[in-house]
Amino acid sequence: MAGKLQPIDIQRELTKIKHPELKKDIVSLGMIGSLEIGEDETSILVKTPSQDRRVQIGLEAQIRQTLSKKEGVGKVKIKFEVDPKMTLDDSNKILGVKKVIAIGSGKGGVGKSTVTVNLASTAAAMGYKVGVMDADIYGPSIGKMFGVNGKVALKAEEDKIYPLEKDGLKIISFSFLIEEKQPVVWRGPMLGKAVEQFLYDIVWGELDFLFIDLPPGTGDVQLSLAQLIDLDGAILVTTPQTVALLDANRAASMFQQVKVPILGVVENMSEFVCPNCGHSSAIFSKGGGQKLADSADTKFLGGVPLTMDVMSAGEAGKPLVFQEPDGIIAKSYKNILQNLAEEIKKWE
């Protein structure tokens, strides 16, 4: 026999209701003043600073619809209490996540996802609580790089999704929700909704860092992300050659226009290290990352050399910084993470 309905049971249901303007649920916003459960009636006091009846009517309709599915609620009585001095937190933050950092580039093929995976893995290896969100809806690759392929059964509870955990990181990718060869034919509004669900319907728990791997370019996903959440900053990934710098500068301009701090530049494939003799060769030119950092008025976080092991690790699904914790790649990412931490402090 099921136990008697408790106020906490009602609160769980009410977390599904988002404020129409603030994109947060009415419980976390502190709008539920009191809950009383009688034999045949449930009374709810909703506190709000707004006297806008349209907002109140919309919230009341959502509350009634949501609670109508809950057994034992009975008749729902809703009262609004308007307090003009009440302030609602309108910042778009993810509960429990300290820093949200986007990793982007102006073009594909620069190894942005590889940088995301290894930078996040480095942070996890250093004891930070880390999450990775693959926001590249059309070409998600984070799952493969962590050794998670195909469709994965995710644990869902109370209309929330729990990320997969691998190697001490929490990971979510659109590839976890679809078949491996299933095409994604979506327009802008659908992409924006997918990004919103990935941000706010995922139970991330307590995280020091959430790294978001963006798709190439400056399109709908990037703009939706900037509107939906208060990003703590962005990292630009480029390779040294001129054509990559041109596109990376466009990405830098986009972040500046949407008021997202650029925390620095990572130059991937800065040089090729011979697996036989260890000699380094600048096969893609030199100094591109520093040039981009100078033009974007930000810090050059560091360069990552290209090795045969980097490519094989991506295919094997095991980040190289885990495979070779004392190797040249791991040292590069430790240096980048240290520089990143210093830049984050400057923006706090």
Side-chain angles (χ1 to χ4, degrees):
M1 182 176 177
K4 184 179 178 182
L5 192 68
Q6 300 295 321
I8 187 66
D9 301 317
I10 302 294
Q11 279 197 333
R12 287 197 186 101
E13 295 299 312
L14 295 179
T15 59
K16 302 174 184 178
I17 300 172
K18 292 183 179 179
H19 192 284
E21 297 170 352
L22 303 181
K23 306 299 183 184
K24 288 185 175 182
D25 72 83
I26 59 177
V27 175
S28 63
L29 284 170
M31 295 180 66
I32 305 304
S34 63
L35 279 170
E36 295 181 7
I37 302 175
E39 290 190 11
D40 303 312
E41 181 179 274
T42 297
S43 300
I44 303 172
L45 175 65
V46 181
K47 299 188 296 182
T48 173
S50 171
Q51 301 200 31
D52 190 339
R53 279 297 295 161
R54 292 174 300 177
V55 173
Q56 294 180 15
I57 290 171
L59 289 174
E60 182 173 349
Q62 288 189 68
I63 293 171
R64 293 189 184 281
Q65 183 181 14
T66 300
L67 295 184
S68 67
K69 306 170 186 175
K70 188 72 175 176
E71 186 178 350
V73 172
K75 182 181 178 182
V76 178
K77 184 178 179 180
I78 302 171
K79 180 181 178 181
F80 284 90
E81 180 181 279
V82 178
D83 180 2
K85 296 181 180 179
M86 180 183 181
T87 58
L88 300 179
D89 182 8
D90 60 354
S91 62
N92 294 319
K93 295 287 187 181
I94 302 175
L95 187 66
V97 179
K98 294 179 181 179
K99 299 296 178 184
V100 181
I101 299 173
I103 300 180
S105 63
K107 69 188 295 293
V110 298
K112 173 180 49 59
S113 296
T114 300
V115 170
T116 302
V117 166
N118 282 284
L119 185 60
S121 298
T122 300
M126 295 178 69
Y128 291 103
K129 297 177 182 177
V130 183
V132 179
M133 171 182 156
D134 188 354
D136 191 349
I137 305 298
Y138 289 123
S141 56
I142 292 294
K144 181 175 177 60
M145 291 184 174
F146 277 110
V148 183
N149 300 317
K151 191 173 181 179
V152 176
L154 298 174
K155 181 174 66 175
E157 182 178 306
E158 300 165 5
D159 292 335
K160 301 286 185 179
I161 298 175
Y162 288 75
L164 186 101
E165 296 193 32
K166 182 78 182 289
D167 295 325
L169 298 98
K170 295 181 178 180
I171 311 159
I172 191 70
S173 171
F174 193 71
S175 65
F176 296 170
L177 308 177
I178 60 173
E179 300 295 340
E180 188 172 0
K181 296 183 179 180
Q182 181 180 338
V184 181
V185 187
W186 286 5
R187 294 189 182 275
M190 295 179 70
L191 291 172
K193 185 62 178 177
V195 171
E196 181 178 356
Q197 289 183 313
F198 266 29
L199 290 170
Y200 294 110
D201 290 343
I202 302 295
V203 182
W204 290 107
E206 297 293 326
L207 293 180
D208 296 305
F209 294 105
L210 174 60
F211 292 103
I212 302 179
D213 183 41
L214 295 176
T218 55
D220 291 316
V221 171
Q222 287 87 339
L223 294 176
S224 295
L225 192 67
Q227 294 168 351
L228 289 167
I229 190 170
D230 296 335
L231 289 168
D232 292 287
I235 296 172
L236 296 174
V237 179
T238 187
T239 50
Q241 61 264 54
T242 303
V243 66
L245 295 178
L246 291 172
D247 289 321
N249 268 304
R250 295 189 185 97
S253 297
M254 179 206 66
F255 285 123
Q256 290 166 346
Q257 287 180 23
V258 295
K259 311 299 183 185
V260 174
I262 299 176
L263 299 172
V265 173
V266 172
E267 183 185 83
N268 196 29
M269 309 181 209
S270 57
E271 55 188 8
F272 175 72
V273 179
C274 176
N276 296 317
C277 67
H279 177 71
S280 299
S281 303
I283 58 176
F284 295 129
S285 186
K286 295 182 67 173
Q290 185 65 61
K291 290 178 183 177
L292 175 61
D294 292 341
S295 65
D297 193 24
T298 189
K299 184 179 181 63
F300 178 57
L301 298 175
V304 181
L306 176 64
T307 70
M308 295 295 291
D309 291 337
V310 169
M311 294 177 280
S312 60
E315 291 296 318
K318 183 74 172 179
L320 188 58
V321 297
F322 286 146
Q323 291 188 34
E324 301 177 8
D326 297 319
I328 185 173
I329 299 297
K331 290 178 181 178
S332 297
Y333 280 106
K334 287 177 183 177
N335 177 62
I336 290 169
L337 188 64
Q338 182 179 11
N339 289 333
L340 175 63
E342 293 174 359
E343 286 303 298
I344 289 174
K345 288 181 181 179
K346 293 179 182 179
W347 287 93
E348 290 178 340

